[in-house]
Amino acid sequence: MDARWRSRAPVALYAVWCIGAYALLLSSDWHYGWHLVLYALALLLLWKPAVLRPRRAAATAVHLVLIGTVYTAFVGEPLALLARGDLHPNLLVNGFLWIGSFAGAYLAWVWLLARGRWHPVALFFLCGTLALFDHSLALWKMAYAGAVSDLLVFGPVLHLTYASMLAPVVIAYRSALEKRNTAPHIGIVIASVLLPGILFRLGSLWIPLARTFIEGF
């Protein structure tokens, strides 16, 4: 088998899996159409990554965390949630409650990007694994309940959703933050799954603090 086909075959299989999952979801709930807007925006940003970088200054780790957190919490997350708040009905307040979690995930990627030279496709798939650490732990609950059919549908959906929220930002900053010209070793690849998820969950400690701040007004 041609090497180029071997590298493209998993991506093609993933795409077919996602299309099949959305065919089922959209047939039962048209609100999932909001995800199509998210994916279109992600494609645009992957095509034009300079949109996510500062125009008159060198891209830095601070830019990645700040721009990434604002974009994901206030643009990507509302689309991912089908224009419905999950922590608060007001989408702006809801985004404010999410900033701790996403800031944590991006802080992890600041460290990871410096550990080697990452391929954009690898970054996309790795960013999507944040779905394993989703606040609802939905995938783990489905697996524990033996809900295989639900897992086969929502697994690719959640992965693609998280990948579309984070990967455009991470990929936009990969060249600016990489410090090594070699591919990351297996330990770093494993860390790229665990560390963003751990900091994402730790960042959720921001939620009760933010709610206290909001209720003070």
Side-chain angles (χ1 to χ4, degrees), residues 66-81:
L66 290 179
I67 293 174
T69 300
V70 170
Y71 163 73
T72 308
F74 295 100
V75 180
E77 184 69 6
L79 294 172
L81 293 171

Side-chain angles (χ1 to χ4, degrees), residues 135-155:
H135 286 184
S136 66
L137 296 178
L139 296 180
W140 296 104
K141 291 176 180 177
M142 291 175 195
Y144 180 76
V148 177
S149 58
D150 289 344
L151 193 60
L152 289 174
V153 172
F154 287 99

Side-chain angles (χ1 to χ4, degrees), residues 114-203:
R115 305 277 77 81
R117 188 172 186 177
W118 297 86
H119 191 282
V121 175
L123 287 176
F124 183 85
F125 279 96
L126 288 169
C127 283
T129 62
L130 195 64
L132 295 171
F133 299 87
D134 181 78
H135 286 184
S136 66
L137 296 178
L139 296 180
W140 296 104
K141 291 176 180 177
M142 291 175 195
Y144 180 76
V148 177
S149 58
D150 289 344
L151 193 60
L152 289 174
V153 172
F154 287 99
V157 167
L158 284 173
H159 180 276
L160 182 58
T161 300
Y162 274 100
S164 296
M165 287 193 289
L166 273 76
V169 181
V170 173
I171 291 172
Y173 283 83
R174 69 186 181 96
S175 297
L177 299 186
E178 68 180 24
K179 296 180 180 179
R180 300 179 184 178
N181 199 32
T182 57
H185 59 72
I186 187 62
I188 296 299
V189 174
I190 294 173
S192 71
V193 175
L194 299 177
L195 188 59
I198 291 170
L199 293 188
F200 178 79
R201 298 288 296 189
L202 287 175

Side-chain angles (χ1 to χ4, degrees), residues 1-159:
M1 183 182 292
D2 181 77
R4 182 176 296 180
W5 169 247
R6 284 200 303 269
S7 65
R8 292 179 178 178
V11 176
L13 180 61
Y14 174 77
V16 171
W17 190 7
C18 290
I19 290 170
Y22 272 101
L24 290 173
L25 289 177
L26 287 169
S27 66
S28 60
D29 188 349
W30 65 269
H31 285 96
Y32 280 97
W34 284 104
H35 281 188
L36 302 182
V37 179
L38 172 63
Y39 302 149
L41 180 58
L43 284 173
L44 175 63
L45 294 174
L46 288 168
W47 179 45
K48 296 288 186 181
V51 173
L52 292 167
R53 295 194 293 260
R55 293 185 180 182
R56 298 183 180 180
T60 67
V62 173
H63 289 121
L64 185 153
V65 175
L66 290 179
I67 293 174
T69 300
V70 170
Y71 163 73
T72 308
F74 295 100
V75 180
E77 184 69 6
L79 294 172
L81 293 171
L82 313 179
R84 305 165 179 168
D86 59 342
L87 301 177
H88 193 280
N90 184 303
L91 289 176
L92 285 177
V93 175
N94 196 72
F96 181 68
L97 295 173
W98 273 96
I99 61 175
S101 293
F102 287 117
Y106 283 118
L107 281 171
W109 277 109
V110 166
W111 184 82
L112 290 164
L113 286 176
R115 305 277 77 81
R117 188 172 186 177
W118 297 86
H119 191 282
V121 175
L123 287 176
F124 183 85
F125 279 96
L126 288 169
C127 283
T129 62
L130 195 64
L132 295 171
F133 299 87
D134 181 78
H135 286 184
S136 66
L137 296 178
L139 296 180
W140 296 104
K141 291 176 180 177
M142 291 175 195
Y144 180 76
V148 177
S149 58
D150 289 344
L151 193 60
L152 289 174
V153 172
F154 287 99
V157 167
L158 284 173
H159 180 276

